[in-house]
Amino acid sequence: KAGVTQTPRYLIKTRGQQVTLSCSPISGHRSVSWYQQTPGQGLQFLFEYFSETQRNKGNFPGRFSGRQFSNSRSEMNVSTLELGDSALYLCASTGLAGNNEQFFGPGTRLTVL
Amino acid sequence: AQTVTQSQPEMSVQEAETVTLSCTYDTSENNYYLFWYKQPPSRQMILVIRQEAYKQQNATENRFSVNFQKAAKSFSLKISDSQLGDTAMYFCAFIQIQGAQKLVFGQGTRLTINP
């Protein structure tokens, strides 16, 4: 079974631009969660989607948004990029095994100049 | 709100030694899972071991085992016969059983295995 995939793997943007990151979960997984990882703040939860609905949202400004499609693929969008948005963005999918185990993708490294 | 604390920012041991990474957490939930994730330089987050809070028996996966003390809200990871490939960041994480799939992570422990 293929793992979680994220595209692109690396991205360089300038302040004020917007960016869209994509995540394809493991086949059959319906829950997708997004995390931001920075040296200063560590790993922080952004939001989680299940069956195309956002179930929970972390403490991030409204510039961070996401969505999930009917095939469970998810995208997150960051508008009006700031230097502080430079981070590794990880997505994870959760199956229905009932153990809440999250399988992570390789991440997208976003650099904002 | 749940919090996870890892008090050891960095640790270093010799190959084949045993090392223990500490983790404490705070929650008012009674049912939850605890995890240890490994993040090598490749940045791929890999699950090392999982513990269900309702199980008294400590989880074990080959060279990796945990010491889960629910009353003390402590969840340490022991790595036996450490190998060079164990060099990585290790994150302790908490998730409640019901509700959204939101992992709460500790700040991580950078573990270096020296030859």
Side-chain angles (χ1 to χ4, degrees), chain A residues 9 31 33 35 37 40-43 45 48 55-56 88 90 94 98-102 104-106 109, chain B residues 33 35 37 39 42-45 47 50 52 91 95-107:
Chain A
R9 293 292 309 278
S31 169
S33 301
Y35 299 87
Q37 185 176 22
Q41 299 299 316
L43 282 149
F45 172 78
E48 184 233 353
R55 286 206 295 194
N56 200 6
L88 180 69
L90 294 165
T94 307
N99 57 18
N100 293 51
E101 180 177 337
Q102 296 194 9
F104 283 82
R109 168 73 66 185
Chain B
Y33 290 100
F35 303 93
Y37 280 92
Q39 189 179 42
S42 67
R43 295 295 192 176
Q44 177 72 54
M45 197 74 80
L47 179 66
R50 174 183 64 246
E52 293 88 343
F91 293 95
I95 194 168
Q96 59 192 57
I97 288 181
Q98 296 298 328
Q101 292 298 295
K102 171 186 174 181
L103 279 166
V104 178
F105 287 92
Q107 286 296 99

Side-chain angles (χ1 to χ4, degrees), chain A residues 6 9 35-39 42-44 87-91 104-109, chain B residues 6 21 36-48 64 77 79 85-92 105-112:
Chain A
Q6 291 186 245
R9 293 292 309 278
Y35 299 87
Q36 182 196 62
Q37 185 176 22
T38 60
L43 282 149
Q44 293 186 288
L88 180 69
Y89 290 88
L90 294 165
C91 86
F104 283 82
T108 294
R109 168 73 66 185
Chain B
Q6 294 179 247
L21 281 57
W36 278 98
Y37 280 92
K38 166 185 176 180
Q39 189 179 42
S42 67
R43 295 295 192 176
Q44 177 72 54
M45 197 74 80
I46 302 164
L47 179 66
V48 174
F64 299 88
L77 173 70
I79 306 174
D86 295 333
T87 293
M89 281 290 289
Y90 285 81
F91 293 95
C92 177
F105 287 92
Q107 286 296 99
T109 296
R110 184 178 302 279
L111 176 64
T112 302

Side-chain angles (χ1 to χ4, degrees), chain B residues 1-4 8 22 26 32 34 36-37 43 50 65 67 74 78 83 85 100 105:
Chain B
Q2 294 89 5
T3 59
V4 177
Q8 306 150 312
S22 302
D26 189 26
Y32 49 87
L34 294 163
W36 278 98
Y37 280 92
R43 295 295 192 176
R50 174 183 64 246
S65 61
N67 183 3
S74 170
K78 185 172 84 170
Q83 300 174 359
F105 287 92

Side-chain angles (χ1 to χ4, degrees), chain A residues 9-86:
Chain A
R9 293 292 309 278
Y10 302 91
L11 207 49
I12 300 175
K13 292 286 188 179
T14 56
R15 279 179 299 174
Q17 287 186 310
Q18 68 95 26
V19 67
T20 299
L21 312 182
S22 180
C23 172
S24 292
I26 291 172
S27 178
H29 287 193
R30 292 161 62 188
S31 169
V32 174
S33 301
W34 288 88
Y35 299 87
Q36 182 196 62
Q37 185 176 22
T38 60
Q41 299 299 316
L43 282 149
Q44 293 186 288
F45 172 78
L46 280 157
F47 28 62
E48 184 233 353
Y49 286 87
F50 180 84
S51 292
E52 302 179 65
T53 301
Q54 186 182 88
R55 286 206 295 194
N56 200 6
K57 191 177 192 304
N59 189 26
F60 279 83
R63 299 185 297 107
F64 291 81
S65 63
R67 60 177 176 169
Q68 186 180 35
F69 301 95
S70 58
N71 62 357
S72 294
R73 188 177 71 86
S74 178
E75 289 181 346
M76 67 163 282
N77 184 78
V78 188
S79 62
T80 319
L81 284 165
E82 300 177 359
L83 295 179
D85 297 333
S86 294

